[in-house]
Amino acid sequence: MTHAHRLHVDLEVPCLCCLAPQPFHFTSLSDQVVCALCVRHLGAEKSERRDLEHVRLWAARWAASETGHADYVTETDALLVARDGDLTALRDQVAELSAVVAGQFTAGIDGVRGLLQNDLVKRAERNTALARRQIDWAMAGIWRIETLHHDSATQKCSCGRTAGSCAESAAIDPLRQALRDWEKKNVTLLQNGRRHGLPSDHPAVLAQRIR
């Protein structure tokens, strides 16, 4: 099997096993597009190890996205506080100089203030959108694993093992409520015709295509 990626350069492309963007440096069109983590668990006999490592990978990326989003919020709040301080200082200057050049100078300050506000708002919107895409990607990966490992009416995991002995199900348990909340929100976005993070094989997405 060949690939179409560039050769002899550092790239970040989705691994064909875990689907996560991973670093690659291809030297041949026949190189495997499988990351170093996934190479260790290739093979049917290692499927349980593969699923568990994928769950851990996606859970770690989801946690990192959450942390990154919190950092963006903190940074944005700090920028807004600094902006408010700058605006206060500008207002004081306007008040002092308005008696000398009230009309022209005030108009200039208003223009500067508008540019400052627009820049901060746009930066916060970009950071928030990036964080949401990262969270959507991680949750979509966890959703795929959860469809293979969830409790059934027979007190067994859907993979056939007892609920208490399925390592994948246990790994997902702390994330199930967050996954349900994320899935419900994104189904609503899909139904309203808005951008959503559901994977292409989600039942709601498939149902929407049939209509």
Side-chain angles (χ1 to χ4, degrees), residues 71-140:
D71 291 342
Y72 288 142
V73 171
T74 299
E75 178 186 358
T76 301
D77 288 342
L79 288 171
L80 291 175
V81 170
R83 181 206 64 180
D84 291 341
D86 291 340
L87 291 178
T88 298
L90 288 173
R91 291 190 187 99
D92 292 341
Q93 292 179 21
V94 171
E96 293 175 1
L97 296 173
S98 60
V100 181
V101 283
Q104 295 181 0
F105 193 76
T106 299
I109 290 297
D110 286 342
V112 171
R113 183 184 296 117
L115 290 174
L116 178 62
Q117 290 174 324
N118 288 338
D119 181 66
L120 288 170
V121 169
K122 288 178 181 179
R123 186 185 306 177
E125 289 175 346
R126 285 196 299 269
N127 289 340
T128 299
L130 176 60
R132 286 174 178 169
R133 285 195 295 271
Q134 291 174 335
I135 291 172
D136 286 342
W137 177 88
M139 294 302 280

Side-chain angles (χ1 to χ4, degrees), residues 25-42:
H25 189 97
F26 299 109
T27 58
S28 168
L29 293 178
S30 61
D31 286 348
Q32 291 190 88
V33 188
V34 178
C35 68
L37 170 69
C38 293
V39 165
R40 298 178 302 176
H41 59 228
L42 290 180

Side-chain angles (χ1 to χ4, degrees), residues 15-20 22 34-35 37-39 41-42 46-61 137-138 141-142 144-145 148 168 171-172 175:
C15 167
L16 294 182
C17 181
C18 67
L19 305 182
Q22 301 285 12
V34 178
C35 68
L37 170 69
C38 293
V39 165
H41 59 228
L42 290 180
K46 299 178 182 178
S47 60
E48 293 183 9
R49 174 180 173 182
R50 177 195 63 213
D51 288 346
L52 182 58
E53 288 182 347
H54 284 179
V55 169
R56 289 172 177 167
L57 169 67
W58 286 321
R61 284 180 171 263
W137 177 88
I142 295 172
R144 285 193 172 98
I145 294 296
L148 302 176
E168 290 84 354
I172 295 173
L175 303 173

Side-chain angles (χ1 to χ4, degrees), residues 126-188:
R126 285 196 299 269
N127 289 340
T128 299
L130 176 60
R132 286 174 178 169
R133 285 195 295 271
Q134 291 174 335
I135 291 172
D136 286 342
W137 177 88
M139 294 302 280
I142 295 172
W143 175 83
R144 285 193 172 98
I145 294 296
E146 201 271 344
T147 60
L148 302 176
H149 299 280
H150 58 269
D151 293 344
S152 65
T154 60
Q155 302 302 312
K156 287 187 177 182
C157 178
S158 54
C159 69
R161 288 172 288 181
T162 60
S165 66
C166 178
E168 290 84 354
S169 181
I172 295 173
D173 278 343
L175 303 173
R176 291 192 195 276
Q177 186 56 52
L179 179 63
R180 293 289 172 263
D181 294 341
W182 170 86
E183 187 176 9
K184 180 179 179 181
K185 181 186 74 173
N186 280 273
V187 168
T188 299

